[in-house]
Amino acid sequence: MIILFLTLAVCSFLLGFILGAFKKPQVKTPDIKVFESDDFTTQKEYENFLNYDGTMQE
């Protein structure tokens, strides 16, 4: 009974190892959308962020 359990455990381990070694996951790259019309607005907001001096806004 113990030998059967150990044999089953070793076979399960080897099967999982073999399937994991040969089956590579597919890497999905996210779609990056660039909005050229908002380029000026984004640049202006970034400049405002960099120029902020820490005072309380009204």
Side-chain angles (χ1 to χ4, degrees), residues 3-56:
I3 296 173
L4 179 64
F5 177 74
L6 291 175
T7 305
L8 182 63
V10 170
C11 289
S12 298
F13 174 78
L14 291 175
L15 180 65
F17 183 78
I18 291 170
L19 289 177
F22 292 117
K23 186 176 179 183
K24 301 294 180 188
Q26 294 179 350
V27 178
K28 294 182 180 179
T29 57
D31 294 334
I32 299 173
K33 297 180 182 178
V34 177
F35 299 104
E36 294 179 10
S37 62
D38 294 337
D39 194 28
F40 179 74
T41 306
T42 306
Q43 180 67 27
K44 193 66 177 168
E45 288 179 3
Y46 185 64
E47 288 176 9
N48 287 340
F49 172 74
L50 292 178
N51 293 330
Y52 179 63
D53 61 357
T55 59
M56 187 173 205

